[in-house]
Amino acid sequence: MPQPIAIEVDSFYDTIVLRSPNDYEPLGPEWFPTEPQLVNGGPGRLVVHTGGRGLVRVTVTSADTPAPPLAD
């Protein structure tokens, strides 16, 4: 299993957006979760509702097998 990557990202508009490096498509409003939903994802994209602004430390781990689907 590859080593985790720890990065600092700026939480902007109460969200963190992680996506594939070559994904430049704009994200529509349907991608941005609102409470009580805190996470929305799809192939190559992950949007996390943070509830605030500022620097956030994120750890990303790559796996050989896909992760199970996110719970409702």
Side-chain angles (χ1 to χ4, degrees):
M1 177 180 277
Q3 293 294 318
I5 300 169
I7 59 173
E8 286 188 352
V9 295
D10 190 13
S11 175
F12 193 64
Y13 292 113
D14 299 335
T15 58
I16 298 172
V17 177
L18 301 175
R19 60 169 117 190
S20 299
N22 296 323
D23 182 359
Y24 300 110
E25 279 188 45
L27 296 179
E30 68 277 4
W31 279 97
F32 295 90
T34 56
E35 292 184 36
Q37 181 186 11
L38 300 176
V39 177
N40 191 8
R45 293 180 177 178
L46 177 68
V47 182
V48 181
H49 176 74
T50 62
R53 294 183 54 178
L55 286 179
V56 178
R57 180 167 284 282
V58 177
T59 301
V60 179
T61 303
S62 175
D64 294 332
T65 58
L70 297 172
D72 288 338

